[in-house]
Amino acid sequence: MATLAVAASVTVPLVVLTALDDRSLNRWSLIGQAMAPVGLVYSAAALFGIVFTLVLQQRDLSNQRESLNVALDEQRRSSEIALRALHVDLIKMALDDNELAEVWPPLSPGVPETRKDHYCNLILNLQKVAFEAKTIEVDELRGALAYLMHSPDMYQFWTKVRATRVEITEGDAGEDVFTALVDQAYVGASPA
């Protein structure tokens, strides 16, 4: 069909030019000149359509890029939560078996630790994962940490591990925020 259309667009003008006299050709020329603005309007409309299509494609591409970034962020968050779940499982194993508990380095050098310390670590990790997964808001986390610090064991645990924890995690923005929130609860609590 396209080949026929191209052939007709070349053949028809040639036939018309050879079949018509000068006066008829002049009249057709004037009609063609009169129709030129209509062709210009169609050309402008086609150009506008192309530009509009490009703008829509750009917007669609931008939306796809944003969706991809959200999906990648969710995947990263899911991976981190899975790693933390593995960490929790390892600590549970250590709680159940003293020999496995000896594998873990001390919470703080030279400070004796108990099974309760490992349990307190699990509780704080749960709060941190909930905060990072955005299932708990900052104010809820503050309240939960303040409540937890009323436990003498939790207070003692944070006293033992705070310096070591800061040394290990310092510079990580998320860890620094969480540590600051635990510290606020720690300072606000009264030691038993």
Side-chain angles (χ1 to χ4, degrees), residues 6 31 82 91 136:
V6 170
I31 292 172
I91 292 177
I136 186 172

mmCIF file of all heavy atoms in Angstrom, residues 6 31 82 91 136:
data_model
loop_
_atom_site.group_PDB
_atom_site.id
_atom_site.type_symbol
_atom_site.label_atom_id
_atom_site.label_comp_id
_atom_site.label_asym_id
_atom_site.label_seq_id
_atom_site.Cartn_x
_atom_site.Cartn_y
_atom_site.Cartn_z
ATOM 1 N N VAL A 6 3.221 5.964 -2.891
ATOM 2 C CA VAL A 6 4.383 6.720 -3.377
ATOM 3 C C VAL A 6 4.361 6.785 -4.905
ATOM 4 O O VAL A 6 4.591 7.842 -5.512
ATOM 5 C CB VAL A 6 5.701 6.083 -2.868
ATOM 6 C CG1 VAL A 6 6.905 6.697 -3.563
ATOM 7 C CG2 VAL A 6 5.810 6.247 -1.365
ATOM 8 N N ILE A 31 -4.792 27.597 -7.239
ATOM 9 C CA ILE A 31 -5.527 26.833 -6.209
ATOM 10 C C ILE A 31 -4.541 26.237 -5.189
ATOM 11 O O ILE A 31 -4.770 26.266 -3.976
ATOM 12 C CB ILE A 31 -6.391 25.735 -6.863
ATOM 13 C CG1 ILE A 31 -7.533 26.358 -7.653
ATOM 14 C CG2 ILE A 31 -6.925 24.767 -5.816
ATOM 15 C CD1 ILE A 31 -8.322 25.373 -8.499
ATOM 16 N N ALA A 82 15.822 -8.794 56.388
ATOM 17 C CA ALA A 82 16.150 -10.224 56.369
ATOM 18 C C ALA A 82 17.487 -10.475 57.072
ATOM 19 O O ALA A 82 17.630 -11.445 57.822
ATOM 20 C CB ALA A 82 16.192 -10.732 54.935
ATOM 21 N N ILE A 91 21.461 -14.693 67.641
ATOM 22 C CA ILE A 91 21.459 -14.354 69.067
ATOM 23 C C ILE A 91 20.579 -15.332 69.840
ATOM 24 O O ILE A 91 20.926 -15.759 70.952
ATOM 25 C CB ILE A 91 21.020 -12.892 69.290
ATOM 26 C CG1 ILE A 91 22.094 -11.941 68.746
ATOM 27 C CG2 ILE A 91 20.779 -12.607 70.765
ATOM 28 C CD1 ILE A 91 21.745 -10.484 68.835
ATOM 29 N N ILE A 136 6.906 2.070 62.937
ATOM 30 C CA ILE A 136 6.777 2.828 64.178
ATOM 31 C C ILE A 136 7.308 4.231 63.910
ATOM 32 O O ILE A 136 8.327 4.397 63.243
ATOM 33 C CB ILE A 136 7.545 2.119 65.335
ATOM 34 C CG1 ILE A 136 7.312 2.813 66.663
ATOM 35 C CG2 ILE A 136 9.020 2.019 65.038
ATOM 36 C CD1 ILE A 136 7.876 2.051 67.859
#
